[in-house]
Amino acid sequence: MYGFDALIFDVDGTVADTERDGHRPAFNAAFAEVGLDWSWSVDLYGELLAVTGGKERIRYFVERWRPDFEALLDLDDFIADLHRRKTRHYLEILRSGAIPLRTGVRRLLRQARDSGVRLAIATTTTPENVYALLECSGDRDLPGWFEVVAAGDVVAEKKPAPDIYLLAMDRLGLTPRSCVAIEDSDNGTRSALGASIRALLVTVNGYTINQDFSGAALVTDGLGDAGAPARVLRGGLEGAGVIDLEVLDVMHGKVYADG
Ligand code: XBP
Ligand code: MG
């Protein structure tokens, strides 16, 4: 019925706006908990997002902004402990209901499920964060809609490397041509394209709106809903205010029109 068999979703920034008011305050709470005076502002966090993965982001911050910092433990152990604390705070924030799904996400997921289009996730964050975000969205059965959740440290290299998309496709048993990827960032775009997924929709957010999405098939400011249509920023399909499977099929068809 459609030219593709599966949608592969990124999570942070795509399924929900988790970074500014979710991950960021969770990192800050973990720093405070162990007596560090580090505090990541909204702007600084935007810079730090260039590095994917929470543990990798902390390490980058230390090297770049606190080069004289000496951990009492081995630095790897210190970062791992800090990151476990951060995850605990992040899960608390999710369970408080503070982070809703982005507009149109639930609608598109439901349409896919009802149409037999398979659903997968390819993300840098930890599986427990993914499941908690989905469970806290109001539909407790939402995690079960996803056939594959490729997440976190299960691959050698995080985005922008293609590893996590390659893993998701491997688990689905699908080729790049039969998948549509939905992302929000330049790192995610590079990862999906690196895995040869050319039917790529980018739904930008406040942190990513000025990034380079030149390889994406379609760039919008969200998935949109009837009462809150999305704006198409690049890729033709102007007027496609509600991104549904039909719009994604047109996008997919255009990408592969050359055979
Ligand atoms: C986004 C990320 C993650 C989160 C933090 O991943 O880079 O690192 O900011 O998550 P994606 P962790 O957009 O691929 O979902 O602290 O659990 O790593
Ligand atoms: Mg993302």
Side-chain angles (χ1 to χ4, degrees):
M1 182 175 177
Y2 299 104
F4 51 88
D5 297 313
L7 303 182
I8 308 181
F9 278 82
D10 167 54
V11 174
D12 293 302
T14 301
V15 169
D17 264 321
T18 51
E19 296 291 8
R20 196 190 69 175
D21 300 325
H23 289 293
R24 186 185 65 87
F27 281 110
N28 286 336
F31 301 153
E33 197 173 85
V34 298
L36 289 165
D37 66 351
W38 306 347
S39 179
W40 290 356
S41 68
V42 170
D43 284 351
L44 173 61
Y45 194 68
E47 284 179 46
L48 297 174
L49 280 174
V51 177
T52 61
K55 293 189 286 293
E56 294 80 356
R57 192 168 298 142
I58 295 170
R59 179 181 298 281
Y60 170 76
F61 172 78
V62 171
E63 286 168 356
R64 166 85 172 72
W65 298 89
R66 293 290 187 278
D68 298 330
F69 174 74
E70 282 182 33
L72 290 176
L73 307 164
D74 167 77
L75 187 60
D76 285 346
D77 293 344
F78 177 77
I79 289 175
D81 172 68
L82 208 46
H83 191 252
R84 271 191 296 276
R85 293 169 189 270
K86 175 260 167 178
T87 297
R88 185 164 42 73
H89 288 292
Y90 180 66
L91 294 174
E92 275 170 25
I93 292 170
L94 291 181
R95 288 179 187 131
S96 77
I99 313 282
L101 301 187
R102 287 187 71 182
T103 302
V105 169
R106 191 186 314 275
R107 169 189 53 72
L108 181 59
L109 291 175
R110 185 169 289 124
Q111 189 193 10
R113 190 195 55 163
D114 293 348
S115 313
V117 170
R118 299 162 71 191
L119 291 169
I121 276 172
T123 177
T124 302
T125 198
T126 53
E128 56 188 322
N129 288 352
V130 176
Y131 288 116
L133 177 68
L134 296 173
E135 273 163 24
C136 295
S137 70
D139 266 321
R140 289 206 73 79
D141 58 341
L142 204 56
W145 296 10
F146 289 89
E147 193 178 328
V148 167
V149 174
D153 293 328
V154 290
V155 286
E157 291 210 46
K158 292 183 177 169
K159 298 175 188 178
D163 304 27
I164 201 75
Y165 275 100
L166 294 172
L167 179 68
M169 285 191 288
D170 186 53
R171 289 193 186 160
L172 286 166
L174 292 177
T175 60
R177 188 177 178 132
S178 45
C179 298
V180 167
I182 305 180
E183 271 288 350
D184 74 302
S185 70
D186 54 356
N187 280 323
T189 295
R190 287 163 62 194
S191 177
L193 292 174
S196 302
I197 302 178
R198 293 168 55 202
L200 169 65
L201 165 68
V202 175
T203 55
V204 301
N205 57 52
Y207 270 134
T208 65
I209 190 158
N210 294 317
Q211 294 180 351
D212 175 19
F213 300 116
S214 45
L218 180 63
V219 183
T220 69
D221 66 357
L223 293 175
D225 262 340
R231 208 155 49 92
V232 174
L233 305 175
R234 215 177 54 74
L237 298 177
E238 272 76 16
V242 177
I243 309 294
D244 56 14
L245 293 178
E246 284 65 33
V247 172
L248 294 178
D249 202 36
V250 173
M251 177 189 86
H252 184 275
K254 282 174 67 172
V255 166
Y256 292 104
D258 53 357

